[in-house]
Amino acid sequence: METIKKLDDRQVLNFDTDYIQDNDWDRLCEYLLILFPEGDFSFLDIGGGNGVFCDKVLNAFPQSTAVLLDNSEYLISLNKQSERKRIICDSVENIDILFPEEKFDVVFLNLVLHHFVSNSYKATYKNVTNTFFQLKSLLSPRGYVYVFEDFYNGAIFNGLPGYLIYTLTLSKIFARLTRKLGANTAGTGVCFRSRKQWGKIINKCGYKIIHEGESHLFTFPLWKKILLHMGKVNMGYLWLKKIEG
């Protein structure tokens, strides 16, 4: 895996929040109860940040246990301590080293995959696919991966909005401009993908989508939609199961 670019302390401040809204939370809990009727599951929260989401899961399912992984010292420091939660400040790049023998029933990837950015689009793509490949060895026999992401679908060309946003936000030359346009990751980069692109990646990495749904629909000014070739842009979730064999 390539080295993943790290957000600076100023940029990280904007991620001290919980992006999982009430409707998404309710649907998540409903499906967790279908998968684990007794509520006795272990989970890994990758990019878990301030721990708000992790703690909500632990509180809702008293028989569950958690490991939270994040590379931001600041966000890690905001976590509440719990006997049922292990907190690790490290990068997803090292998950094969961090968990050589450990298995999880659920791996949560909440709005984090688009931050696995490196200095080229190809390397950024490999960061995502390598992560999915490495997660296979961390899943228990009843293990699942939960992906919650922003889907940037192109008006005509499917993957173009994500590529344009990646190119603009990665550039330090345009950092001041992209920051004014609302890109918190200006100068570091962010790489969104369309729903179709995620489907191809998931299939390539040996998973199948067993359940999915759409969430918040974003609206943008017409000039921004034209500039970035944006079609439908929305949040959505995907439940994945690795394909055996």
Side-chain angles (χ1 to χ4, degrees), residues 1-222:
M1 189 181 297
E2 300 286 337
T3 299
I4 294 175
K5 297 171 74 70
K6 188 176 179 181
L7 296 173
D8 62 36
D9 291 340
R10 174 181 50 80
Q11 292 171 316
V12 163
L13 292 175
N14 289 304
F15 296 101
D16 180 16
T17 185
D18 178 19
Y19 290 101
I20 308 296
Q21 301 302 309
D22 290 345
N23 287 341
D24 299 312
W25 172 250
D26 291 341
R27 289 187 289 183
L28 172 63
C29 288
E30 288 172 4
Y31 202 67
L32 281 170
L33 282 173
I34 292 174
L35 298 177
F36 310 104
E38 304 300 321
D40 57 339
F41 57 90
S42 62
F43 66 92
L44 171 63
D45 187 7
I46 295 178
N50 58 15
V52 171
F53 171 79
C54 185
D55 292 343
K56 284 173 67 174
V57 176
L58 290 172
N59 290 335
F61 297 92
Q63 300 303 314
S64 66
T65 58
V67 175
L68 182 145
L69 176 68
D70 201 282
N71 68 354
S72 168
E73 293 85 355
Y74 171 72
L75 292 178
I76 284 288
S77 72
L78 302 177
N79 272 262
K80 296 179 181 179
Q81 300 294 321
S82 168
E83 293 182 353
R84 294 162 50 214
K85 178 173 70 172
R86 192 163 89 250
I87 305 166
I88 300 175
C89 187
D90 211 319
S91 174
V92 70
E93 302 164 57
N94 302 318
I95 54 176
D96 57 334
I97 301 171
L98 293 169
F99 312 109
E101 303 294 336
E102 203 158 355
K103 302 291 182 183
F104 300 95
D105 298 316
V106 183
V107 176
F108 289 110
L109 295 163
N110 289 317
L111 298 174
V112 68
L113 288 170
H114 55 257
H115 291 298
F116 292 177
V117 172
S118 289
N119 286 322
S120 75
Y121 192 72
K122 183 177 180 180
T124 299
Y125 176 85
K126 285 186 176 180
N127 287 341
V128 172
T129 55
N130 287 343
T131 297
F132 277 124
F133 282 127
Q134 289 180 332
L135 288 181
K136 286 184 173 183
S137 64
L138 299 185
L139 294 174
S140 71
R142 61 177 189 163
Y144 300 87
V145 177
Y146 176 83
V147 176
F148 191 70
E149 263 297 332
D150 296 329
F151 299 140
Y152 276 70
N153 303 292
I156 298 174
F157 301 103
N158 178 57
L160 187 54
Y163 180 78
L164 292 174
I165 293 170
Y166 167 79
T167 302
L168 290 169
T169 56
L170 186 71
S171 171
K172 295 190 181 299
I173 296 175
F174 295 116
R176 182 174 296 181
L177 173 61
T178 52
R179 191 173 295 114
K180 286 183 178 179
L181 293 176
N184 175 54
T185 56
T188 302
V190 66
C191 192
F192 298 110
R193 292 181 171 84
S194 69
R195 169 62 183 82
K196 185 175 181 180
Q197 285 178 306
W198 281 118
K200 288 183 177 180
I201 288 173
I202 288 163
N203 182 259
K204 174 183 177 180
C205 294
Y207 295 84
K208 59 182 176 181
I209 299 171
I210 61 169
H211 182 57
E212 65 179 299
E214 293 188 354
S215 180
H216 178 73
L217 180 67
F218 293 100
T219 58
F220 297 95
L222 181 60

